[in-house]
């Protein structure tokens, strides 16, 4: 394989995996039942983030509709910090291009590892935790 072909094949895979890590960390720290879903291509990180704010993962389909995707992503950026009981200043960090990549990792790795989540329910809420899942003795 030529170097350019190698780069063409492996760069998108590396970006996909590295971009999924913060969603996996958020899901793990907030007690999402299947945080590994973050590694599903294209929609995985959004499914885990939606589950972390107690919304249905099916809402990620809105991100695939061209004009509606902008509204969906803006809504998600506004909802995530408030539902996780974090300061609303994270919203600003998520909106600034370039800064948002660093903010995504900083947000994930500074969450409380014991995962105190915000209020449950809301738009499209179908997230359910099985009885006894993640309970400490």
């Amino acid at each position: 394989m030529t170097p350019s072909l190698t780069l063409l094949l492996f760069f998108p895979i590396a970006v996909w995996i590295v971009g999924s890590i913060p969603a996996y960390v958020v899901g793990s720290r907030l007690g999402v039942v299947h945080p590994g879903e973050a590694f599903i291509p294209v929609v995985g990180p959004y499914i885990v983030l939606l589950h972390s704010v107690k919304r249905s993962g099916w809402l990620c389909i809105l991100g695939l509709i061209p004009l509606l995707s902008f509204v969906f992503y803006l809504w998600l950026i506004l909802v995530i910090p408030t539902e996780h009981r974090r300061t609303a200043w994270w919203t600003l960090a998520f909106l600034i291009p370039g800064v948002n990549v660093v903010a995504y990792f900083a947000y994930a790795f500074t969450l409380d590892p014991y995962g105190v989540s915000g209020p449950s329910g809301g738009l499209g809420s179908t997230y359910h935790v099985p009885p006894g899942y993640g309970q400490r003795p």
Side-chain angles (χ1 to χ4, degrees):
M1 277 208 282
T2 64
S4 62
L5 182 61
T6 304
L7 183 64
L8 187 65
L9 290 174
F10 293 113
F11 183 72
I13 294 170
V15 168
W16 158 54
I17 291 172
V18 170
S20 298
I21 290 171
Y24 174 78
V25 171
V26 168
S28 297
R29 291 185 177 202
L30 294 177
V32 171
V33 178
H34 301 289
E37 291 174 349
F39 294 101
I40 296 172
V42 182
V43 296
Y46 299 108
I47 292 172
V48 173
L49 291 174
L50 285 164
H51 285 173
S52 77
V53 294
K54 311 292 189 247
R55 303 305 196 287
S56 171
W58 286 101
L59 286 174
C60 73
I61 293 173
L62 297 175
L64 301 175
I65 301 170
L67 294 176
L68 194 55
S69 64
F70 176 75
V71 175
F72 169 72
Y73 295 133
L74 186 60
W75 170 80
L76 195 60
I77 287 170
L78 292 169
V79 167
I80 287 175
T82 56
E83 289 286 324
H84 294 166
R85 295 185 180 165
R86 306 286 299 265
T87 178
W89 285 103
W90 282 104
T91 301
L92 181 62
F94 292 146
L95 286 173
I96 300 172
V99 173
N100 58 359
V101 175
V102 176
Y104 188 35
F105 277 88
Y107 183 87
F109 287 99
T110 58
L111 274 174
D112 181 16
Y114 300 108
V116 178
S117 184
S120 62
L123 175 68
S125 179
T126 58
Y127 178 78
H128 302 285
V129 177
Y133 181 83
Q135 292 181 355
R136 296 192 179 110

